[in-house]
Amino acid sequence: MTLEIKEMSKAYGGLTVVDRVSITMEDADIIGVIGPNGAGKSTLFSLVTGFLDGNGGDVVLDGKPLGNASAVERAQAGMVRTFQVPREFAHMTVRENLMAAAPGQGGENLITTFFRPASVARQEKEIAGKVEETIRFLKLGVVADTPAGRLSGGQKKLLELGRALMTGAKLIMLDEPFAGVNPVLIEELSQKIRELNARGIGFLIIEHDLGALSKLVSKLYVMDRGKLIASGEPAAVLSDAAVREAYIGGGAN
Amino acid sequence: MDAYLIAIAIVSGIYLLLALGLNLQFGLTGLINFGHVGFFCVGAYTSAILSTNGVPVAWSLLAAALVGMLAAWPLGVISIRLREDYFAIASLGFSEIVRLVATSEGWLTNGVQGIAGIPRIFSGVTGQSQAIAMLAIVTVFCVLAILAMRRIVRSPFGRMIEAIRDNEEAVKSLGKDPAGFKMQVLLLGSMLAGLSGALYAHYIGYISPDQFIPFITFQIWMAIIMGGVGRISGTVAGVIILMVFLEGSRFLRDIAPFIPEVAMASIRLGAIGLALMLFTIYRPQGLMGDYTKR
Amino acid sequence: MNLTRRQTLASLAALAGSGLMPSLTFAQDAGTFRIGALNPITGAGGPYGTGMQKMIAAAAEVVNAAGGAAGRMFEVFAEDTQTQPQAAVLAAKKLIEVNKVQAVLGTWSSGVSLAVLPLASEANIPLFHCSGAPALSVAPANEKKLGYRFQATNDRFGRAFAEIATKEGFKRPATMAFNNASGIGNTEGFEKAWKAKGGEIVASVVYEPAQPSYRAELQKILDAKPDVIVMGSYIADTTIILREWYQTGEENTFIMPAWAGNPELVKALGPDVVEGIISVDSISNEGSPAFAAFDAAYQSAVGHPGLTNVYAAMTWDMVTVLALAMEAAGPGADMAAINAKIREVANPDGKQVSSFAEGKEALKSGPINYEGASSVLDFDEFGDVTPDFAASFIRSGEIKREYVVTL
Amino acid sequence: MTGFAELLLSGVMSGLIIGLAGLAVTLVFGIARFSNAATGDTMTLGAYGALLGTTLTGSLIFGGLVGLLAGALAAVLSYVLVFRQLANRSPISSLLASIGLAFFVRAGLGLAFGHNQSVFQLDIVRPIRFLDLRIQPNDLKFAAIALVTLVIVFIILHMTPIGRRMRAVADNPLLARVSGIAPRPVMFTLWAMAGAVSAIAGIILGMKTVVSPEMGWDMLLPAFAAAVLGGIGHPVGAIVGGLVIGVAQELATPFVGFTYKIAVSFIVLLLVLLVRPRGMFGRVEGVR
């Protein structure tokens, strides 16, 4: 799935938070977006995924401009995001979280719930099977029946990734997947992303942790104060003077 | 004493139907409906108008449930996508409009005079057995509604609405539109409210617009919040607490005659207010506990 | 700090228990007669309910002090209808089933009375009420003829308004009604009677309560240049409307029911604004000993003149009439016997009496006719009273009755 | 034509009261991020405070100040005792608690003052005639008070350090979400301001109408509508919103009749939410 972000912009009153940012992404690629706090990365994510209305710009997915498509429609088109602060369904178990993410469930309306219980049960069984696979893949078996609200930060990030996988997304956008995650798990998470990428799923990743990210991505974009200030191969970008200035001057962690 | 207890049980059942609908909407889905009494009103009037015009009560009950549900449709279309507290205000306004219509459209509702002489259910029997028959009918509806709720909670639909309650944005990010689910929940809850209203009309025998004030809605809110949101057992417990509380205060007067009745009424209102505050602050999960799955 | 479920349950159970305990300790005593005072303490009837309830208690004390009704002492159980039918139904069931009351007195608002009357009838006990709706007179509501109305019907009030408007020579009346059964009942009764006389209504408005201003409503009325505005209103809205009316500088007159045009209104607005208002009331026998007794009791219990609460005068009468009927029926009479005596002790052709003690004494020598504090109290076949009406004019801040209208 | 102008005038007066109530709603919403259903009963409290103050001192102005302080104090207390505890929870918790608070306050006032109406003893005078228009001297005073209130709120928000901090909290949703940690003086000032504004609305309403325990609750829906119409969190917007609703209610009466008049505020509210959810002046995000 190819993604083209064209001249995305967002302003609050006089303050431009995202200023004509353009990013292109090939099918099944892994791209990183970095930048100091307040650079507008998360806002850009929200714009691309339709969680915020922008002031100009467009997103083209597989050659089709998305225009005013809603967040739901964008997700249905195969582009699924995670959140910087994980948004697990806190009162539901990990298994239920994953079940809920499966697309096209016939049982998700009241008519079938009451009048076609047999077909619903059949589909539930199918979905449960896929959920087991996902749990195994993400090694979440120990906590499968724990309410998601009680998971650790890293486990929640894994769960969000799992939910995105359950939707059958072709392009997954991860918002700071490594933040607050211990180094061992970061390595494991990176490994999973590579494996998934090998199966044809593209990733667009926002990150602070340059070390882990630069090993993962094929291309890095750097944002500062709403603007793209650099892009290219990770190594080249990281040695760029403007980037170093933005990071050190911007007081990154 | 018996008849009084039966009366309380009937009213409790009527409240329970309301509370189950609200629990589905708020407890399970996170939809803040402050206009529940509006659909209760629609149901009461539908059944009262039909049955006083010769339609058999069985049909008028059915019609009340359907019309109650249909009345929720325009509210849903207009405001289901609004942020939660905006929907709350919109629904509150909606119930007030319903009351105004009942007040003003005299050709349909007999206006401020109200509708008197609404036939009882099972008009063939009288006295105590009439009350028992009424209680039986109300109980049957409550049991059916509880069974329906249990099925919903255990279904993929139930999973989805609980996901919406826990995090609506995350649901959207998975490509599922919360609005559709909320709409269904609104309609089903309103259907129960409509049915409840019809039972109320046939039980009390007389309805007028000023019986359908927002305070009724907030009593039900108090019930589900005290009992425990999102749990069916909590809803039942909450309604029992509400009734003990509303009716118990009458008896309090008998043991504490130094409290003037006029103060009692204010105390009742104040206690509902206090309970709402204290429970939201100190026991947000309600009496029956957290709805987290164990 | 979150309470555990056990803590919460325990404290609630304690509360609930303390509330329910006493219900198990009731016994019937042949020496007492239990009456239920079912009044609108809160809700729309709030301004009157407390006074009504206090007068039931006060009148019961008077009866008890005179040795009780046919030897039985009154015991009063008070409840609040909250001016809501549903709350009233439960309150009535509690009074009837738990407190075992043998009469329910003092419901107010037609909605409440319509809901309670069937319950009282089912239990074969009488309901004395102060509601105006015509439906309360007849079947199905009053099938067993146990409902007695101490208040003139809304319709009768309207007819009295029309008589007064004719007598005062008004040509261009307009009406304003509070949007409820009583408010509209008054103005509709007026319109019907006025049109029957060949008159014309220049404008009419029905308004919703609780608004910051009624100027638009007034505007519509005043644009028609009425010489009198007939009100079906209550005290709060009347206060606001009159203030705004005065501030428009118009000069027309008002005819309104006495529960709006009362001393409290004069106090709220001052004598200038209310000058010339015609306040219409079913006759409270202000000169009569019954009213004086009520007034004294009301003054001492509530601290306002008895005139400010016509319904309290009615509840006073309710207790007295009930006691007299019991006295007339003799010791140990059942409810049917007592019910049969109600008209006998209240209607004409008998020695006029104005208190329980007086009536009790007179009953020994022949029939009596209780002349109440609220009206002369003569019940027709439906249990309705048709009192005479007084037209009182407010002049220099004083409400003075000028003449009496007989329908 | 005169009739129209008079309707307009009466709409403006109602609108100012609705607008002030809306201002209190909008202030709380802008910073504490929830719809405060206790606003109406804070109004009632203010009116009773003023009534008590007037009776005790014999001066309307002093009485008004007492009412204002009562409203401010009650609001600050409600923050300390209730809403601060709920600052980190969802706005729904605060909304529910505010309904509880509203009932509690109303019950308390009913206990303290009874259910009979009370009135402010204002001089009732015949109107000033201006271009055939009848203008009430008292109305002019009320309008002046309302405008002065708005100006003071504006000055506090825009010209004082604490006001700037308040606006900073209001402007940044992220910061507002954690407003539990917002500096205490900011929240105290906010609640005192909201309480005082409610009280002023209540006092004016009480002076124009009558004072009873139920009076404030009935103003809640129009107040919410005004706040939403003006753009939630926008003080000037709330007043303008109130004016629009007040005027719309009066001018609509020839078409919808008087009984549906009070539905107008709700219809306006729905239309705004449908067509322009951010209100007349408000920011874009956050409604849907």
Side-chain angles (χ1 to χ4, degrees), chain B residues 167-196:
Chain B
N167 204 312
E168 194 169 342
E169 296 287 281
V171 169
K172 283 188 195 166
S173 80
L174 300 175
K176 306 205 176 190
D177 191 356
F181 293 93
K182 286 181 174 180
M183 186 65 152
Q184 293 182 54
V185 158
L186 177 69
L187 292 181
L188 183 62
S190 301
M191 191 177 100
L192 287 176
L195 179 64
S196 167

Side-chain angles (χ1 to χ4, degrees), chain B residues 1-5 7-8 11 15 99-100 103-104 112-114 116-117 120 126-128 130-131 200 203-206 208 210-211 213 215-216 219 226 231 241 243-244 246-255 261-266 268 279 281-290 294, chain C residues 1-6 8-9 12 15-24 26 38 41-42 50 53 77-95 97-100 109-112 114-115 118-119 122 133-135 140 154 179-182 184-185 188 208:
Chain B
M1 191 70 204
D2 289 355
Y4 175 62
L5 288 179
I8 289 188
V11 174
Y15 273 170
R99 193 171 58 83
L100 277 181
T103 313
S104 307
V112 291
Q113 312 286 346
R120 303 253 167 150
T126 52
Q128 190 88 328
Q130 155 75 40
Y200 171 83
Y203 178 60
I204 303 287
Y206 170 75
S208 61
D210 47 10
Q211 295 172 34
I213 48 175
F215 188 60
I216 309 280
Q219 282 184 352
M226 286 182 74
R231 291 174 69 95
I241 294 168
M243 288 312 292
V244 166
L246 287 178
E247 288 305 304
S249 63
R250 297 190 189 284
F251 295 95
L252 186 64
R253 156 126 186 143
D254 295 336
I255 42 165
E261 182 68 13
V262 63
M264 212 46 240
S266 289
R268 200 148 44 209
F279 268 81
I281 296 173
Y282 296 112
R283 181 98 187 156
Q285 71 275 43
L287 196 60
M288 299 308 286
D290 202 338
R294 269 169 288 248
Chain C
M1 152 192 158
N2 280 6
L3 300 178
T4 65
R5 182 196 298 191
R6 190 171 300 164
T8 323
L9 270 174
L12 279 166
L15 265 176
S18 66
L20 277 175
M21 282 297 242
S23 63
L24 308 169
F26 286 105
L38 186 55
I41 304 301
T42 46
T50 311
Q53 204 155 71
F77 293 87
E79 276 299 331
D80 178 14
T81 64
Q82 303 171 25
T83 328
Q84 279 180 43
Q86 173 245 355
V89 161
L90 286 177
K93 293 225 184 221
K94 186 246 175 187
L95 285 174
E97 299 297 332
V98 181
N99 301 125
K100 306 281 183 202
S109 136
S110 302
V112 167
L114 277 166
L119 297 179
E122 219 161 77
N154 300 132
N179 197 6
N180 73 5
S182 158
I184 293 177
E188 278 181 352
E208 277 288 317

